[in-house]
Amino acid sequence: MSPGPLYLGFDLSTQQLKAIVIASDLKVISEAKVDFDADFAAKYHIKKGVQTNEDEGEVYAPVAMWVESVDLVLTRLKEKGCPMDRIRGISGSGQQHSSVYWSEHAESSLKSLDSGKPLLDQLSNAFAYEFAPNWQDHSTQTECDHFDTHLGSKQALADATGSSAHHRFTGTQILRMRRRRPEVYNKTARISLASSFLASLFLGAIAPIDISDVTGMNLWDIAGEKWNETLLELTATKEGVTELRKKLGDVPLDGGGSLGGISSYFVQRFGFSPECQVAPFTGDNPATILSLPLRPLDAIVSLGTSSTFLMNTPSYKPDPSYHFMNHPTTKGHFMFMLCYKNGGLAREKVRDKLPKPAGADPWGSFNKQVLETPPLDIRKDGDRAKLGLYFPLPEIVPNIKAGTWRYTCESADGSDLKESGDWGAEPDARVIVESQALSMRLRSQKLVSHPPKRPELPAQPRRIYLVGGGSLNPAIARVFGDVLGGADGVYRLDVGGNACALGGAYKALWALERHDADESFDDLIGKRWKEEDEIQKVDDGYRDGTFQKYGRVLGAFEELEEKILKVAHN
């Protein structure tokens, strides 16, 4: 192992706490994880990392479990022989929107940690509420309705904060906490996001909320770079705004630099260097786009149980149907995000209706059907295009209940949209993947442009990077290339399930090794990032003729969604 500084990145997700250590040349040195169900299910009565109260739609995690996991993951990292004394910077990510409610004892408890005792033993009185609402929580519909109308409309809220109101967003969660559990709200001295909570443990003080993660709250005025006064009034009442500001704290506008040195607890207990610095932690989605030097107009498509579309863009064009967030490292840039509940689960349900494959690959029959079915199942001139929506779970984008809908339209121009009967599982295999990609293309079309090096091509992303379990599937990669394009191709980012932790480690490296505040994350990481080691080209992306076929039915796909929305909301 070559000498030199190391950087530690964390990912506090719903089901795990991961840690990954990298060197200055970006090589991974060591990694460890805590699996909440495997390590703590019996103690904390969790399933898939959370507890639930189905009567009220609440989904939450025990904060004590997170605290205990920090000691455990560092113990495992040390047992693997990681040279902790060489770690010079720490950053990481936490599940976006989740909130932690600190008591008045938190600051003093964090500052006086004894390395001879576990963290949990010393922080038992540091929390006003023992649980942290999870991003899956859906108990805040009433509060969402108030947020969506408070500035005049959903669009006005999106213009100000980057998003319309969502169940999981922290502002609606805080409002519900004040109304539903006033005793907790009144006892709360500070409110952290999952990311700043984790940073606080290492800092030995309450860490500020990150400039990117703060835009997942529906409380931050993105253009004004400050808390939105009107939305603070909604959340805390006019009289309570000053107190809520204290609970939230100030937000540094720079995502880099150091928040301070690491707590002596970690120096003495785990052997960290006293010179180790804590950089700002961010949300899991912002951390994902930091897992590679993502250029403007590059897109990341995460193909897990749910699906996410992320793009780095200098354009701010908010809309209630998607999210804009501040870029975690590049001032003046934004992260465009689409989040779908129905991803891998929906594809699996279609897969399971097909005949079982002969080989060991459970996706064998599905992939065969996808690749043998032509785009939109148009087999000859005059065939109508097949379009569908497949939602085994209620969807976020668009806000539609669970169900399956199949339609056809004229392939030449998308006209004459008509509902169709069940055409069988075979066409469904391709149509479901197309439908997921078409939704992403529909909502990102205002943000893409003609590729700078190939201006003759239609507007599309420069590159598409696939991550998550679905990225291993060549048939899915082919369809996403067909529909979304990708002038420079479609690539699989080979970081396993470690994108968020890796993004955190890269953020720490950039925050502490940049030459000055003007050296961008993309420039610093891009110089050290060896593309041939990290990514694999899995599809050519843009195909002339095929890309245009999908463009001709994009309006019909939007009309299909609007028809279903109208029925669902009547």
Side-chain angles (χ1 to χ4, degrees), residues 20-59:
I20 194 164
V21 178
I22 63 166
S24 285
D25 62 2
L26 309 187
K27 286 183 180 175
V28 174
I29 301 300
S30 187
E31 52 190 297
K33 72 176 180 180
V34 173
D35 184 286
F36 299 145
D37 278 21
D39 289 305
F40 293 123
K43 181 173 182 179
Y44 290 106
H45 311 293
I46 56 164
K47 184 177 181 180
K48 294 189 175 179
V50 294
Q51 296 181 19
T52 58
N53 174 8
E54 293 182 5
D55 290 343
E56 296 197 33
E58 294 178 328
V59 184

Side-chain angles (χ1 to χ4, degrees), residues 2 77 81 115 156 251 292 313 393 395 403 413 418 494 506 551 558:
S2 59
L77 205 57
S115 63
V251 178
L292 73 162
T313 174
L393 297 172
E395 189 48 87
D413 57 6
K418 290 180 180 177
D494 190 14
Y506 287 176
E558 184 174 22

Side-chain angles (χ1 to χ4, degrees), residues 410-430:
E410 291 294 336
S411 58
D413 57 6
S415 63
D416 192 30
L417 184 70
K418 290 180 180 177
E419 192 164 1
S420 172
D422 187 344
W423 48 54
E426 286 77 10
D428 276 344
R430 184 172 182 106

Side-chain angles (χ1 to χ4, degrees), residues 32 34 84 187-188 232 248 290 402 412 507:
V34 173
M84 312 292 273
K187 285 193 302 182
T188 297
L232 293 182
L248 294 170
L290 298 181
K507 190 175 195 285

Side-chain angles (χ1 to χ4, degrees), residues 313-329:
T313 174
S315 301
Y316 184 65
K317 298 177 181 177
D319 186 278
S321 64
Y322 44 71
H323 308 301
F324 267 95
M325 296 175 179
N326 286 330
H327 192 280
T329 63

Side-chain angles (χ1 to χ4, degrees), residues 475-494:
I476 293 174
R478 169 73 188 218
V479 174
F480 271 84
D482 283 345
V483 177
L484 294 176
D488 199 29
V490 178
Y491 296 80
R492 182 167 71 85
L493 180 60
D494 190 14

